[in-house]
Amino acid sequence: MAEILEKVYDPQRIEAKWYTFWEAQGLFSARADGARPPYCIVIPPPNITGSLHMGHALNNTLQDILIRYQRMAGCDALWMPGTDHAGIATQNVVERMLAKEGTDRHHLGRQAFIERVWRWKAESGGAIINQLKRLGCSCDWSRERFTMDEGLSRAVREVFVRLYEEGLIYKGDYIINWCPRCQTALADLEVEHEPTDGYLYFIKYPLADREGFITVATTRPETLLGDTAVAVNPDDPRYLAYHGASLRLPILGRKIPLITDPHVAPEFGTGALKVTPAHDLHDFEIAQRWHLPAVKALDEEGLMTEAAGKYQGLDRFTCREKILKDLKHDGLLEKMEHHSHAVGHCYRCRAVVEPMISKQWFVAVKTLAEPAIVAVEDGRLKLIPEAWEKSFFDWMTNIRDWCISRQIWWGHRIPAWTCQACGQVIVPRQDPSTCPVCGAADLVQETDVLDTWFSSALWPFSTLGWPDDTPELRLFYPTSVLVTAFDILFFWVARMMMMGLHVMGDVPFREVYIHALVRDPEGQKMSKSKGNIIDPLELMDKYGTDAFRFSLAAFAAMGRDIRLSEERIIGYRNFVNKVWNASRFTLMNLGDYDPGRADALPLSMVESWMVSRLQQVITETVGHLKAYDFDQAAHVLYQFTWHEFCDWYLELLKPELAEGAAPVARHHTQRLLVEVLSAVLRLLHPFMPFITEEIWHKLPGAKESIMTAPYPAADPSLNHPAAEAEMGLVMQSIVAVRNMRAEMNVPPASLVNILMYSQEPAILDKLQSHQRAIRLLARVQDLQFQPEGEPPAAAAKAVVMAPDGGSLDLIMPLTGLIDYKEEARRLNREMDKLSRELAGVQKKLANEDFLAKAPEEVVSREKERLQNLNEKLSKLKSHEKRLKTLLA
RNA sequence: AGGCACGUAGCUCAGGGGGAGAGCACCACCUUGACGCGGUGGGGGUCCGGGGUUCAAAUCCCCGCGUGCCUACCA
């Protein structure tokens, strides 16, 4: 005897139970035995400092849908989970804790500090993992990795050494972005540009060997102290006479050359650019072309150096004020203009970033970028949606060398040693004890650590066991798809592509599905500072995880950002409840059902229709899933489940299941009902894993888990166009009667009589065979079928065109029911609608070009439409005429 | 400055060359033995504006307006 469910689905009770069950049964574990086709997704590893936000929720829901689908579809599906050590972010978190305790990392020392971070990680670094479990993520937790665990650190070491040996990693002086607050270099991507109001200062640089001066424009006058040239565009006519001249640097009096460089834009400012190689990227590049010296005027703490002369030791912003004052005094400040420009800020601490020349480690990225560009060009790696390819190519072709050293402590320490005796730099696979050149034992290791993204770039193969040759690596690399938002496309995805292609010789994933960003209901990006964060955990508490997941999937239309609307989540919560109640109804009618009993009855037309529709829904759902059209998959399942399975199939079934139905027929009905419900549950499982598992276990004959049940596959032999046409006719007829009733204000409780006229015997036959359903669903008492007849004038009338040809008149005698004016109004509304449609079709068919040039099937479809409309309209018109005689 | 999206029902959004769609909201009716987180029926649209291509444009192209995002060294 099947258990009866509660009236309203209560997610809280159910969810934890099944997650525990799945884990205990090992259902998330990939086998990696090669027995089934592999399918693999590596998770974008969340930061250990993180907690689940909307972006994670969407990202991981989509991945889980894919993984659960592929697993049920017969793949050995591996969802590789793990977390990222998040160098700067984590170090900042722990440093803030230390500050509260009144100490700092320098007091602790490097070793103790790192131990402290590990301890913090052990205590609170796993919070997000539990939140992912709440979401239902079916990651293979037995394989969980961490970017700083032993194996991944070995991968980092190996890649670093290899690239160094290949000359693709080098240490050099270069302009980097320096955060004076974090005291570390930042990669270009880690700098956020914010429009800032400031001034453009016009400063006169006197000529050294003749009268006059050249005026330069700058936003950072304090960098003047590091100028080693002034540059103009070689073609700028204003300065032709000055080519080769020398200038006196204001205040310091240093003699600097006037040079020409095509980089200089004549239209900006005065067309003359002060060149500060140590504190500006482009100036640095100009300096390299001209072999100019670099003078460092600013130090790592943002204070002026001794090269700044009397300004030494001043803060950069104080120095700016002083210099302006002095320039004014000397009459060298020509003018100031308001100027708004983008100022770089540290993405971690918001401090103003200072471009600065510095000795750092770099990856020569051009060599690595080229194969990644080619891989996308030739389709070995697909970006979905394709629109991202343009941005990708733009970025990859303009990419600069990647600064990978960070002056922090938490991370992979750069495996480079310098021999104090002979100066030799060693980058070995094993920690060295003596210098291989001179044999000295006095080796000092590099203190910098690697950029966090260096280890993340190896994620697709390091997590699978590389550098060891593991079965997982052989089976699952390249992985199937990477699911991510575009905001880390370049931080992460591009770098994985470069590293994967270089180290593994193949793309890290065949496809990248780039989903939208989740915004608040007003379309704003969610951020702590705006205070518009919506916590996914709260929504899960409120509406249940299944409803939340289904909503995210339904929101995930490609190429458009998501505005999270709680109202829509409520809508999908209702859908989840609908699924629950449809199952409840089913189970309530299975009391006497014996799944083992044979059933030789053929499918009824209703059943054939349902089965046929199911095949189409399966095809559509699978198609949408394969194309990453999550919203469409969700929509198809929603419409089918609610408006076909529940609204029609279950309603049509009720009489078959009622008391007094023949046991054999009843059993047959039950069997198909269970089958269809089972398919619906399996189709929905990837979207709503918890409720489907709960119901699954209550279905007769169900065993194990819905996770191990096969995903429905469409069987084309079950398509049944005739059943669909027949049921289409029946449903249209029922709707037409309901419509007349409602428009005539016939109370739902009272029964009506209906006459059905048709010249087509087949139509009447079909309807006759469904008369019990029609009576029940349209609430009809006396139902008569006739080829034609003299219907009473006092009647409401509707015309239905059968999907496979022929027409049907539905007549509802009104005697004693209501006044005829109402019916006349209803008819006029209906006829208006038809006339408008008819006019459009007539216009089209009157066009000779249309007849001549449009495809034949389009023309014949329009002709058929015209005929149908005409027929329907004339029938309604004649009825209206007769009705009018009654009114007169 | 450049690039990329987007503008469809009151709201949130699908669709994407041949009959304007969904959900919510709205109106009317309904204690129908699965479900009121429900049922039945209904109203509602110059598909931003203007040109063009086409037999046919909400859909493709161009221009404009509006919105959002990304990139950039304009000192």
Side-chain angles (χ1 to χ4, degrees):
Chain A
M1 166 82 191
E3 189 184 330
I4 303 304
L5 309 179
E6 300 295 315
K7 241 181 168 177
V8 173
Y9 173 60
D10 173 22
Q12 257 57 300
R13 238 189 50 236
I14 309 276
E15 291 174 5
K17 174 176 80 179
W18 289 119
Y19 202 89
T20 313
F21 170 83
W22 292 327
E23 272 201 289
Q25 301 285 311
L27 295 174
F28 300 158
S29 297
R31 289 181 177 71
D33 57 6
R36 306 184 198 186
Y39 184 87
C40 180
I41 300 179
V42 291
I43 201 171
N47 290 352
I48 48 171
T49 53
S51 64
L52 193 80
H53 58 59
M54 247 351 130
H56 294 125
L58 172 68
N59 178 250
N60 290 292
T61 295
L62 299 184
Q63 292 177 75
D64 197 43
I65 289 170
L66 292 172
I67 281 283
R68 284 180 185 270
Y69 159 64
Q70 294 288 352
R71 197 185 280 125
M72 289 173 79
C75 286
D76 189 8
L78 169 60
W79 189 5
M80 186 71 227
T83 47
D84 192 289
H85 68 279
I88 297 177
T90 308
Q91 172 149 338
N92 283 351
V93 165
V94 177
E95 281 196 278
R96 272 198 294 276
M97 286 172 54
L98 294 179
K100 267 186 204 155
E101 296 164 16
T103 177
D104 62 43
R105 68 179 158 120
H106 299 287
H107 268 92
L108 276 157
R110 185 163 186 147
Q111 198 55 40
F113 177 76
I114 290 172
E115 279 165 22
R116 181 67 195 264
V117 181
W118 277 108
R119 214 159 61 232
W120 176 86
K121 191 229 168 209
E123 285 160 14
S124 28
I128 194 160
I129 296 300
N130 291 322
Q131 293 168 334
L132 289 175
K133 293 181 177 179
R134 239 339 270 292
L135 235 201
C137 295
S138 60
C139 301
D140 188 346
W141 299 112
S142 67
R143 296 172 201 271
E144 183 183 345
R145 302 304 295 266
F146 176 54
T147 46
M148 273 177 64
D149 68 24
E150 191 275 331
L152 268 62
S153 298
R154 205 151 52 85
V156 167
R157 176 76 169 257
E158 176 62 29
V159 170
F160 188 94
V161 173
R162 265 196 213 183
L163 293 177
Y164 182 79
E165 287 171 353
E166 291 165 344
L168 293 174
I169 281 182
Y170 64 93
K171 187 176 190 180
D173 281 313
Y174 200 76
I175 288 282
I176 46 86
N177 308 286
W178 184 266
C179 174
R181 218 284 325 163
C182 296
Q183 294 275 302
T184 182
L186 299 171
D188 293 341
L189 276 171
E190 293 171 325
V191 177
E192 286 178 0
H193 292 273
E194 284 169 20
T196 310
D197 281 329
Y199 289 96
L200 192 57
Y201 304 94
F202 291 75
I203 302 169
K204 296 176 185 171
Y205 283 40
L207 289 157
D209 30 25
R210 42 185 144 150
E211 282 297 301
F213 51 82
I214 285 178
T215 303
V216 302
T218 180
T219 54
R220 294 188 301 160
E222 69 280 8
T223 62
L224 163 163
L225 302 165
D227 284 3
T228 54
V230 166
V232 296
N233 189 288
D235 302 324
D236 191 334
R238 291 170 294 179
Y239 298 112
L240 289 176
Y242 299 99
H243 288 189
S246 289
L247 302 160
R248 286 272 170 218
L249 189 59
I251 295 166
L252 295 181
R254 224 169 44 223
K255 206 168 152 183
I256 56 172
L258 182 97
I259 58 170
T260 60
D261 194 285
H263 160 74
V264 181
E267 65 281 2
F268 186 86
T270 61
L273 165 74
K274 60 190 271 314
V275 180
T276 322
H279 298 292
D280 184 277
L281 174 62
H282 292 278
D283 294 3
F284 176 81
E285 286 173 349
I286 291 171
Q288 286 197 317
R289 288 196 279 274
W290 284 81
H291 305 289
L292 296 169
V295 174
K296 208 167 152 179
L298 255 176
D299 71 8
E300 280 68 18
E301 292 173 55
L303 304 177
M304 306 313 292
T305 63
E306 61 174 327
K310 61 175 177 171
Y311 305 103
Q312 183 180 357
L314 288 180
D315 171 79
R316 48 187 167 153
F317 299 115
T318 319
C319 177
R320 177 178 299 178
E321 296 310 312
K322 281 218 69 168
I323 266 200
L324 287 169
K325 216 170 130 195
D326 293 345
L327 286 171
K328 225 179 263 177
H329 180 266
D330 294 346
L332 295 177
L333 184 62
E334 193 176 290
K335 60 171 174 173
M336 294 160 60
E337 277 179 4
H338 277 283
H339 183 66
S340 168
H341 63 133
V343 174
H345 292 75
C346 172
Y347 84 127
R348 276 293 151 211
C349 75
R350 320 300 313 158
V352 172
V353 163
E354 212 56 59
M356 197 174 283
I357 200 162
S358 170
K359 209 174 252 330
Q360 301 286 344
W361 291 86
F362 293 90
V363 174
V365 110
K366 281 241 184 289
T367 330
L368 300 174
E370 188 55 32
I373 293 170
V374 172
V376 174
E377 274 171 353
D378 68 19
R380 266 177 302 149
L381 197 156
K382 269 168 58 188
L383 299 186
I384 300 162
E386 231 175 69
W388 286 105
E389 286 186 3
K390 188 173 157 40
S391 309
F392 177 79
F393 290 136
D394 283 353
W395 194 77
M396 291 298 267
T397 46
N398 295 319
I399 198 167
R400 285 182 216 278
D401 281 359
W402 172 19
C403 174
I404 49 168
S405 43
R406 295 291 181 276
Q407 288 67 46
I408 56 174
W409 288 349
W410 175 243
H412 301 96
R413 193 161 169 183
I414 289 178
W417 283 260
T418 308
C419 173
Q420 299 304 101
C422 70
Q424 177 67 30
V425 174
I426 320 159
V427 179
R429 286 180 172 75
Q430 301 297 325
D431 287 7
S433 50
T434 56
C435 172
V437 175
C438 71
D442 192 5
L443 302 175
V444 175
Q445 188 178 358
E446 185 68 58
T447 54
D448 291 355
V449 301
L450 287 168
D451 179 7
T452 293
W453 296 101
F454 190 90
S455 53
S456 334
L458 318 181
W459 190 247
F461 50 90
S462 63
T463 52
L464 293 171
W466 191 89
D468 297 332
D469 180 22
T470 62
E472 286 84 354
L473 194 62
R474 263 178 277 154
L475 190 63
F476 292 115
Y477 194 94
T479 65
S480 309
V481 62
L482 185 88
V483 179
T484 184
F486 66 82
D487 53 348
I488 52 171
L489 197 57
F490 301 127
F491 270 106
W492 189 45
V493 181
R495 285 164 180 171
M496 282 192 286
M497 287 164 61
M498 294 190 280
M499 289 298 195
L501 283 160
H502 188 76
V503 174
M504 298 294 296
D506 201 350
V507 292
F509 19 75
R510 307 214 179 274
E511 295 182 327
V512 179
Y513 172 62
I514 300 155
H515 62 249
L517 243 40
V518 186
R519 300 176 182 280
D520 77 359
E522 273 73 52
Q524 301 284 309
K525 214 167 173 170
M526 289 190 196
S527 73
K528 274 183 198 152
S529 53
K530 283 186 200 146
N532 60 349
I533 301 259
I534 302 173
D535 183 357
L537 295 166
E538 268 176 38
L539 295 176
M540 285 189 253
D541 285 342
K542 225 163 145 184
Y543 304 110
T545 301
D546 289 322
F548 178 59
R549 286 172 55 118
F550 197 87
S551 305
L552 289 174
F555 286 139
M558 272 204 228
R560 186 201 274 262
D561 285 346
I562 294 169
R563 291 190 195 200
L564 198 73
S565 127
E566 210 159 323
E567 280 165 14
R568 265 182 86 180
I569 301 178
I570 292 172
Y572 293 121
R573 188 271 318 263
N574 296 350
F575 176 54
V576 170
N577 194 52
K578 189 76 179 176
V579 171
W580 181 256
N581 274 292
S583 307
R584 181 169 182 259
F585 169 80
T586 303
L587 294 171
M588 286 169 76
N589 283 287
L590 293 180
D592 56 346
Y593 178 63
D594 171 10
R597 182 169 142 187
D599 168 23
L601 291 181
L603 296 187
S604 69
M605 273 323 235
V606 171
E607 290 170 330
S608 295
W609 159 77
M610 176 76 323
V611 168
S612 182
R613 283 292 303 134
L614 179 62
Q615 304 316 305
Q616 291 155 27
V617 165
I618 293 168
T619 304
E620 286 172 33
T621 303
V622 167
H624 290 317
L625 281 176
K626 286 188 172 157
Y628 305 101
D629 288 326
F630 296 95
D631 64 319
Q632 310 224 42
H635 184 250
V636 164
L637 291 174
Y638 180 99
Q639 292 298 327
F640 174 76
T641 305
W642 198 315
H643 297 306
E644 295 188 86
F645 178 73
C646 291
D647 288 353
W648 286 105
Y649 178 61
L650 293 185
E651 292 304 325
L652 288 164
L653 236 54
K654 281 179 179 172
E656 312 298 327
L657 293 167
E659 309 249 339
V664 176
R666 179 177 157 86
H667 180 264
H668 165 85
T669 302
Q670 289 168 327
R671 207 203 54 173
L672 191 80
L673 171 58
V674 170
E675 251 178 57
V676 176
L677 178 62
S678 153
V680 168
L681 292 173
R682 283 176 288 138
L683 284 167
L684 287 170
H685 176 75
F687 298 85
M688 35 177 85
F690 295 105
I691 189 177
T692 49
E693 183 76 282
E694 172 73 12
I695 299 165
W696 183 259
H697 284 264
K698 300 194 186 297
L699 285 186
K703 43 188 186 286
E704 294 182 56
S705 162
I706 193 169
M707 284 185 62
T708 60
Y711 205 71
D715 177 352
S717 73
L718 296 174
N719 283 335
H720 202 316
E724 289 189 39
E726 180 167 323
M727 291 315 295
L729 174 67
V730 172
M731 291 188 278
Q732 276 186 66
S733 305
I734 292 170
V735 169
V737 174
R738 283 170 173 172
N739 176 289
M740 286 190 284
R741 293 178 52 111
E743 300 279 311
M744 295 299 100
N745 294 316
V746 179
S750 56
L751 300 175
V752 295
N753 298 330
I754 295 290
L755 304 170
M756 291 190 174
Y757 291 161
S758 179
Q759 310 276 353
E760 298 283 337
I763 288 182
L764 293 181
D765 281 354
K766 285 174 191 166
L767 290 166
Q768 219 150 2
S769 70
H770 292 282
Q771 59 174 303
R772 189 165 53 158
I774 295 169
R775 280 210 167 84
L776 192 76
L777 297 183
R779 304 208 40 81
V780 176
Q781 169 97 64
D782 188 29
L783 184 58
Q784 289 186 32
F785 303 92
Q786 290 172 28
E788 58 190 313
E790 194 55 36
K797 176 167 179 173
V799 179
V800 165
M801 307 307 297
D804 48 1
S807 72
L808 169 75
D809 295 6
L810 298 160
I811 290 117
M812 183 171 89
L814 294 174
T815 328
L817 278 174
I818 5 92
D819 67 318
Y820 313 126
K821 283 182 193 158
E822 195 59 47
E823 169 65 357
R825 272 197 288 274
R826 188 188 71 88
L827 280 172
N828 277 316
R829 269 203 306 275
E830 178 73 14
M831 289 189 300
D832 275 358
K833 216 189 276 178
L834 291 172
S835 304
R836 260 175 280 136
E837 217 179 320
L838 185 69
V841 179
Q842 276 170 335
K843 197 180 149 200
K844 223 179 234 188
L845 286 169
N847 184 341
E848 278 175 36
D849 283 330
F850 173 73
L851 296 174
K853 293 183 182 170
E856 206 175 315
E857 77 254 25
V858 173
V859 177
S860 61
R861 193 163 62 229
E862 292 300 318
K863 282 184 176 163
E864 194 183 327
R865 241 179 101 199
L866 179 76
Q867 202 184 330
N868 282 352
L869 286 168
N870 270 329
E871 186 174 344
K872 216 166 165 176
L873 204 53
S874 73
K875 282 183 172 178
L876 293 180
K877 252 184 199 149
S878 69
H879 177 61
E880 191 219 9
K881 233 171 165 177
R882 282 151 43 87
L883 199 68
K884 269 190 182 145
T885 63
L886 288 176
L887 285 168

